[in-house]
Structures are given as C-alpha cells and as structure tokens.
Amino acid sequence: AYAEFYNLLGGPGRFGLRAGRFYQPFGLNSQTDTHGTLLQLSNDRVFGAERDWQLTAFGHATEHLNYQAGYVLGTGPDQELDGQSGMAVGRIGLNNDDLFERGLEGGVSAAYGERLDPHAAAGVVATWRLGADVRQRLDSGIGPFTLTGEGATGEDEDATVWSGLAQADWLHPGRRWGVAAQYFYFERVHLEADHADDIDERASLVLTRY
C-alpha cells in the first residue's frame, strides 16, 4: 500500500513523493519487478526485508541521473515498531535514457540509522550501508542476455557486513523459456570473540517456462 505524488516542485519529473510500504531505495530492488521471477535480489538479506514503510522523494537529479532519498521505519519483515529510530536511505542512479539506448542500469546507495533484523541476535540494530549496483542487457539473435551485479558493505552494531550478488539471465526470443544463474554471498563478521561469524552463501540455477 503506497501513494505517489508527481511534479510537486520544479519542472516535470524533478520532485515527487512516495508514502507507504514500498521497496527500499537501495540497490536495484526499487526499479525491478521480481514478482514473476524465482530469483530475488539482495535487500531481503542486506536489511532483513526488501520492503519498508517510508516517505521518499524521487525525481531527476541531472540530465542523466535520477535520485531516491527518504526515511524508512526499519520495521523488518514482520512490520513492527520496537523502539527503532528508522533509517535514512537513498540512491543515485542512471536514468531511463541509458536503459532504453544502451540497456544499462546502475547506481550507488547509502543507508544509516536503526532497524529491526530477525537475522541478528539483538532486535534493534544500529546500521549503516554503502552499496553499488549495475545491470546490462545484451540483445542478440538468440534472445536477450542480462548481467546483474550488486555489492554492499557496512556495519550492524559492532559487526562488519559484506554482501555480493552476481546474476546472468537469458530469455528466448519467443519469451516462453528462460534460464538464470545467480551467486549470492553475505557475511557478518563479529568483532567479539564469543560471537560466531554469520555467513550465507548460495548458488542457484533456474530453468523457467513462462
């Protein structure tokens, strides 16, 4: 549930507002529809949830760059309020001209604040993240190929976090069959000796009939 308000300030596309529960404006998630795909992106592990309640501004930063910046409640997958202060989250990325003309998407993201994380020992987690992402579509006579990469680093309380995702997709020209391969890595390195490191590593290969 969310509402978007367009062209509130400046010229067309300069400043809009989004209010409600939507993809967090970090990485490729906010501009990717994953409802019809078995493979998902990084944010459900990087933040514990890919969507959050938020108030976000979005629009054109320059002729070639778009921005998203706002405040999210940090409610986690259970959508709870448990004393967390929420997070400031934002992304600067290439606009649709690069996507339409060159099949290229990419950007840099940042987040800072507090959130709830079911993967962490403590409920409320002081968090910061820096991330970068890129996606390239390559058209060919046997169908389009898409290469995707996401990376992030940061801290949860006293633990250092590293995350990376690499994915390759192919879609048949008739759009009936597709193949995708993904490798994902997440590591939370605790500085205290009595806490074991949290490592999540997975590889997936998917054959899909649409």
Side-chain angles (χ1 to χ4, degrees):
Y2 66 94
E4 291 182 339
F5 306 90
Y6 295 93
N7 303 326
L8 296 178
L9 296 172
R14 285 291 182 183
F15 184 84
L17 281 178
R18 178 184 299 118
R21 188 167 185 264
F22 194 75
Y23 293 107
Q24 299 189 48
F26 191 101
L28 290 166
N29 231 141
S30 62
Q31 60 193 70
T32 306
D33 183 3
T34 56
H35 290 87
T37 62
L38 294 174
L39 298 178
Q40 305 294 297
L41 295 171
S42 302
N43 282 1
D44 64 336
R45 195 63 173 91
V46 172
F47 293 109
E50 62 180 6
R51 297 174 179 85
D52 204 348
W53 293 94
Q54 61 187 268
L55 179 64
T56 304
F58 61 91
H60 303 316
T62 68
E63 182 181 356
H64 299 287
L65 297 176
N66 287 345
Y67 72 89
Q68 301 177 73
Y71 168 77
V72 303
L73 291 180
T75 56
D78 297 326
Q79 303 184 57
E80 295 179 330
L81 296 175
D82 192 21
Q84 75 271 25
S85 63
M87 298 190 299
V89 185
R91 179 178 183 269
I92 294 286
L94 300 174
N95 66 17
N96 286 338
D97 289 344
D98 290 280
L99 174 60
F100 297 148
E101 295 176 7
R102 290 177 285 278
L104 178 64
E105 300 169 88
V108 293
S109 307
Y112 179 83
E114 290 182 347
R115 63 187 177 89
L116 298 181
D117 186 353
H119 300 292
V124 177
V125 179
T127 297
W128 68 264
R129 294 284 191 275
L130 292 176
D133 57 81
V134 64
R135 181 162 52 202
Q136 177 70 62
R137 188 189 71 246
L138 304 171
D139 295 321
S140 75
I142 59 172
F145 292 85
T146 304
L147 305 177
T148 302
E150 287 188 311
T153 186
E155 292 183 353
D156 287 341
E157 297 290 346
D158 60 348
T160 301
V161 171
W162 301 93
S163 174
L165 178 146
Q167 181 171 322
D169 300 79
W170 169 78
L171 185 62
H172 187 271
R175 308 186 68 83
R176 181 65 68 184
W177 293 94
V179 178
Q182 184 190 88
Y183 173 77
F184 175 77
Y185 182 84
F186 178 90
E187 182 178 22
R188 184 184 282 116
V189 181
H190 294 275
L191 300 181
E192 299 179 4
D194 58 342
H195 285 79
D197 293 344
D198 178 13
I199 298 177
D200 181 3
E201 186 176 17
R202 65 187 78 164
S204 305
L205 178 64
V206 177
L207 173 64
T208 306
R209 183 181 187 276
Y210 293 93

